[in-house]
Amino acid sequence: MRTAICERLGVEFPLFAFSHCRDVVAAVTNAGGFGVLGAVAYSPDQLDTELTWIDERVGGRPYGVDVLVPGRLDASALDRHAHLMDFIPDRHRDFVTHLLSKYGVTAPAQPLTAVADEFGRRVTAAGASGLIEVALKHPIGLIASALGPPPPEMVAAARQAGVPVAALVGTVEHARRQVAAGADLIVAQGTEAGGHTGDISTMVLVPQVVDAIAPVPVLAAGGIASGRQMAAAMALGAEGVWCGSVWLTTEEAETSPAVKRKLLAASSLDTVRSRSRTGKPARQLKSAWTEEWDSAQESPGPLGMPLQLLVAEGAMARIGIAAEKGEPGALELVNYYVGQVVGQLDQVKPAREVVYEMISEFASAVDRLNTLSAG
Amino acid sequence: MRTAICERLGVEFPLFAFSHCRDVVAAVTNAGGFGVLGAVAYSPDQLDTELTWIDERVGGRPYGVDVLVPGRLDASALDRHAHLMDFIPDRHRDFVTHLLSKYGVTAPAQPLTAVADEFGRRVTAAGASGLIEVALKHPIGLIASALGPPPPEMVAAARQAGVPVAALVGTVEHARRQVAAGADLIVAQGTEAGGHTGDISTMVLVPQVVDAIAPVPVLAAGGIASGRQMAAAMALGAEGVWCGSVWLTTEEAETSPAVKRKLLAASSLDTVRSRSRTGKPARQLKSAWTEEWDSAQESPGPLGMPLQLLVAEGAMARIGIAAEKGEPGALELVNYYVGQVVGQLDQVKPAREVVYEMISEFASAVDRLNTLSAG
């Protein structure tokens, strides 16, 4: 295709695949799309290993890396001498204990303090910088900031390495701010997307962002898991699309079997925007976890980011283990970040096949539009 | 254009304009679109007058009528010997009195009991039947049911009159149910729409509904106020689009000047889905009214439909009068049903111009898609 993005990034088909799984990233890039590895789950050393693995498989085809750099931070996370876990109030620890007991989760607690510290700090600006440094040593074609404006050091380092910077936004105002901060490419993400989202739908958001920051190119995200939806996004003025949810049910995805089954069974009514996993509103599968945090009388309410992330990830690690053993209570609690397109996902497919199907359906959707408007 | 809908309904351009204002309906129909008059605000006699007015102006071009037939009713509304206002609890009356006083609304109370009864009953199945009967005496091209499946009597009467029945839905399940109940045409309405909406976005909902009920034709609603958005909706598989919000800021619209100014100034972040006006979740401008009902400590919470509608409309009539006088408290409270596209509306235009701009931008969007995919 002939969008400015295709030319600038050397990609055949402007389909960007956000995934935490290197296999998905490599498969999409090799199929003519653009894989983007979500780096938040990795330490800098681990990220280096993952990117080397990808480099060895994509033969120079373009891929990117996504880091989570939140704009506002819980100040407690900035004290590097403290254990982040120490900032979690007793009420919140007790509520997690209560939930695990109420739902009969038997998996043992993990020794979390050190891991949690490492993980929690990685979503701070300081923590992200280690990942950015590693990423820019690899031949990546894009670096993306998933939350908040890209910090000046990230923009400077990327510029020096000749790597374009992308930023995800949910409002026109944020898009303007991100462009001012140096973003070369904006991902306008509607409320129907999985993970951290705003209130405005893709249909409404994309044209407004396109008009507000022209000629800066815009990718559309949220509600896109088919060629028809991709064609719709491009009709709105996007230069390409950024998809996350659709890869979760691919063969390559790291998604655990219990979660994959829940995703395949879910309808588009089965997601909710909840603060219960990260402290910021993030769309995910409705489950007993989101219901209890968001609605139970005894819920203390979620903490901010990154503290709620620590509370949730510690418990979710245990819940995940128990769910894989088939424990019914854990299966009620377990969930994952996913967009409303989850209702379309009912079959496990290779990532490559998803790309090819989207390309083919995109062409059919454009043909149909031509036929309709020829009358 | 050559969609099945265009052929069946004899319309040039499958742009459906929902409006409570006969001037908008006639202007859109005369410009090549399809005007649909929202009948809920009228008594059967008034509706007859409005439709006669339209008939005299559209020269046989197609237009339709929309009635509100809720699926589930507050049982109290079914007792025709009682005054509906008698069912409104003191707490709710007191809260309205408190709000009007807190915001210094000085407009006098209207004698509401009889009007409210009439109005409240019109949104019952029995009340709607009077409107349907009147509508079918006019040469309408479509009758739509805005809430819940069209009742069997409505379908039977429409069939006998040779008028297709449309129904608005927010989920795939409702679409199936509406088709089973006899709907000839489904309007799949995303969460971003104004008025009564569900949770699922247009981008996600439309393709699922199209696939679930094929070959029954689908119009897309929610998030559509421009030619790019119309092209996007058609790329998703819709046969046309159903727009409401975009007409509210046209020259012809009945919208009061104070509300029109608020609409023109609003961004896409300024709407909320709230039960505070009708008892069911309806997207509208955020205002002190929605904030107080939805969040104030002393709020008794909204009643069901139609009782909340009575509570709200009585107060809103006074608030509207005070807002037109420029009373600051009333200007904080006043609002109206509108979708997230309100952020795009920043200029008053004739309805005809809106239609022509959408036609022209639609063509450009299709051209752009062709150019992009030619590469």
Side-chain angles (χ1 to χ4, degrees), chain B residues 213-229:
Chain B
I213 64 168
V216 176
V218 174
L219 303 180
I224 304 166
S226 73
R228 279 178 285 178
Q229 288 159 328

Side-chain angles (χ1 to χ4, degrees), chain A residues 284-328:
Chain A
Q284 54 198 283
L285 275 185
K286 271 183 205 164
S287 79
W289 177 269
T290 60
E291 298 284 327
E292 293 277 359
W293 276 97
D294 296 339
S295 310
Q297 192 100 47
E298 61 272 34
S299 168
L303 297 164
M305 179 185 271
L307 296 183
Q308 183 66 20
L309 196 58
L310 304 191
V311 171
E313 291 309 307
M316 278 294 173
R318 296 175 64 182
I319 291 165
I321 292 166
E324 289 314 321
K325 288 187 192 149
E327 291 185 12

Side-chain angles (χ1 to χ4, degrees), chain A residues 59-310:
Chain A
R61 290 183 199 85
Y63 74 95
V65 171
D66 179 283
V67 291
L68 202 65
V69 191
R72 274 180 219 164
L73 287 169
D74 190 311
S76 55
L78 299 175
D79 176 359
R80 299 187 60 90
H81 301 292
H83 287 301
L84 291 187
M85 289 296 282
D86 295 342
F87 292 95
I88 295 173
D90 286 343
R91 286 181 67 207
H92 292 78
R93 295 169 190 269
D94 293 348
F95 185 61
V96 169
T97 307
H98 154 74
L99 283 185
L100 295 178
S101 147
K102 175 174 173 185
Y103 288 87
V105 175
T106 61
Q110 311 289 312
L112 270 178
T113 309
V115 175
D117 267 21
E118 166 82 33
F119 189 73
R121 287 229 172 75
R122 218 173 291 146
V123 296
T124 65
S129 70
L131 295 174
I132 294 166
E133 200 178 310
V134 165
L136 291 174
K137 284 185 188 148
H138 290 264
I140 60 172
L142 186 74
I143 189 158
S145 163
L147 267 184
E153 316 83 59
M154 172 172 162
V155 173
R159 286 266 157 80
Q160 201 170 353
V163 174
V165 175
L168 273 76
V169 306
T171 69
V172 171
E173 189 43 43
H174 287 174
R176 289 207 180 93
R177 209 181 299 163
Q178 302 271 36
V179 169
D184 302 294
L185 170 63
I186 292 294
V187 183
Q189 178 174 269
T191 186
E192 54 268 73
H196 294 113
T197 59
D199 273 314
I200 306 172
S201 79
T202 298
M203 190 70 113
V204 173
L205 181 67
V206 171
Q208 288 187 37
V209 171
V210 166
D211 291 347
I213 63 168
V216 176
V218 174
L219 303 181
I224 304 165
S226 73
R228 277 179 286 178
Q229 288 159 329
M230 181 168 178
M234 312 278 285
L236 295 174
E239 297 255 327
V241 296
W242 176 279
C243 306
S245 304
V246 71
W247 316 109
L248 295 174
T249 51
T250 57
E251 275 176 13
E252 291 88 346
E254 78 288 12
T255 327
S256 79
V259 167
K260 218 178 247 187
R261 279 192 296 274
K262 273 193 138 175
L263 294 172
L264 292 169
S267 89
S268 291
L269 290 168
D270 296 327
T271 74
V272 64
R273 275 175 79 226
S274 167
R275 296 180 188 268
S276 62
R277 283 199 65 161
T278 72
K280 286 176 182 282
R283 190 175 297 281
Q284 54 198 283
L285 275 185
K286 271 183 205 164
S287 79
W289 177 269
T290 60
E291 298 284 327
E292 293 277 359
W293 276 97
D294 296 339
S295 310
Q297 192 100 47
E298 61 272 34
S299 168
L303 297 164
M305 179 185 271
L307 296 183
Q308 183 66 20
L309 196 58
L310 304 191

